[in-house]
Amino acid sequence: MSDIPLQLHHIQQRIARACAQAGRSADQVQLLAVSKTFGTDAIAQAIAAGQLAFGENYVTEAVTKIQHFMSHAPSLQWHMIGPLQSNKTRAVAQHFQWVHSVDRMKIARRLSEQRPDSLDDLQVCLEVNVSAEQSKSGVMPEEVAAMAAEIVRLPKLKLRGLMCIPEPSTDPVAQRQPFALLRELLHDLQRAGHAVDTLSMGMSDDLEAAIQEGATIVRVGRAIFGQRDYGQKVKI
Ligand SMILES: *Cc1c(COP(=O)(O)O)cnc(C)c1O
């Protein structure tokens, strides 16, 4: 079991240092604590340490946690960051504030249709395949403009920006390339007149490179909660 408050503090320090190096202010970068596979005990420790935004990948697991914290923490923000199947969009539209992993119009339309009227617009990012690999999820860079133009017409979605999950690399220079590409794509959307402001990029091992290239949300799991054990059934 890792010391979650201490690890959170370390990550906040890494973010602050990277922002200082990039000439940015630390409040321009939001830390999303990726709590997938971790139970409510771990999340409660993070909340007690002041963390309010959480990222989840698996809808059923996430909804159980969201419901667990519903009563005593209405200020929490839940972000869906994992691959989306169309049979799970209703639960996502009902329970999350953000979705980072929109990668096709069918999913976007369903999320908009299924978003309850009583809730604010669902904040969404388009996931972009920055590694140009067939196997990877995400839209190709050349498809971003057309899909953004369609998404902004959906009544219950608010397009906020772009997200990517690059191939892991330990070379800080190589790490920056896909992040620079995502930043360019966001600028293209802004030049086309879209009010987008979000670059969701950077994880435990490459958040410094992402912040150098303009990340506004970094998604950190292992460096806060410890190694994930996918074999173990999650104890919620
Ligand atoms: C799991 C996951 C993360 C967090 O990764 P870590 O390596 O644990 O920091 C970030 N983004 C996405 C989309 C993920 O699935």
Side-chain angles (χ1 to χ4, degrees):
M1 190 79 209
S2 59
D3 185 337
I4 290 168
L6 184 68
Q7 304 278 50
L8 265 173
H9 180 67
H10 283 157
I11 292 294
Q12 293 289 9
Q13 284 183 323
R14 277 176 64 189
I15 292 172
R17 221 176 296 130
C19 283
Q21 268 173 16
R24 305 178 59 198
S25 117
D27 62 13
Q28 291 176 335
V29 180
Q30 182 186 26
L31 171 59
L32 189 63
V34 177
S35 43
K36 65 177 179 227
T37 79
F38 293 97
T40 49
D41 282 358
I43 295 171
Q45 287 181 50
I47 295 170
Q51 179 66 31
L52 298 177
F54 294 90
E56 290 280 343
N57 289 54
Y58 312 109
V59 178
T60 311
E61 174 192 326
V63 168
T64 311
K65 296 177 193 175
I66 293 168
Q67 282 169 340
H68 176 90
F69 287 106
M70 195 84 80
S71 53
H72 61 282
S75 55
L76 296 184
Q77 232 184 40
W78 295 94
H79 296 232
M80 174 64 189
I81 61 175
L84 282 166
Q85 296 162 312
S86 43
N87 63 346
K88 297 279 171 65
T89 50
R90 186 176 299 278
V92 171
Q94 287 173 340
H95 291 99
F96 284 81
Q97 283 82 41
W98 280 72
V99 178
H100 294 223
S101 42
V102 173
D103 64 354
R104 50 198 195 278
M105 281 313 298
K106 181 185 178 188
I107 295 290
R109 274 188 220 103
R110 288 175 69 94
L111 288 172
S112 182
E113 283 161 15
Q114 294 168 344
R115 182 71 168 171
D117 281 331
S118 58
L119 298 180
D120 292 341
D121 290 354
L122 189 59
Q123 311 292 301
V124 302
C125 291
L126 266 183
E127 181 177 348
V128 183
N129 181 347
V130 288
S131 307
E133 277 179 55
Q134 287 296 324
S135 59
K136 281 251 168 183
S137 51
V139 304
M140 289 298 165
E142 57 274 18
E143 299 168 338
V144 167
M147 202 179 294
E150 281 196 71
I151 286 182
V152 295
R153 286 194 227 111
L154 296 173
K156 291 297 284 179
L157 301 190
K158 169 85 182 121
L159 181 66
R160 295 296 300 271
L162 303 174
M163 178 272 232
C164 71
I165 313 171
E167 284 295 289
S169 162
T170 51
D171 171 19
V173 177
Q175 282 177 353
R176 284 177 65 163
Q177 287 170 1
F179 297 142
L181 171 61
L182 205 70
R183 169 170 51 72
E184 280 305 314
L185 291 168
L186 189 80
H187 285 168
D188 290 345
L189 292 181
Q190 289 167 339
R191 277 192 288 266
H194 296 297
V196 285
D197 58 9
T198 300
L199 283 173
S200 167
M201 58 189 197
M203 320 200 319
S204 292
D205 298 326
D206 56 11
L207 69 91
E208 283 82 4
I211 288 171
Q212 282 288 333
E213 295 297 344
T216 63
I217 300 180
V218 293
R219 311 178 307 265
V220 180
R222 287 170 297 126
I224 296 170
F225 294 109
Q227 287 300 326
R228 284 182 289 275
D229 182 356
Y230 289 98
Q232 201 89 6
K233 194 170 158 25
V234 183
K235 198 172 128 278
I236 296 170

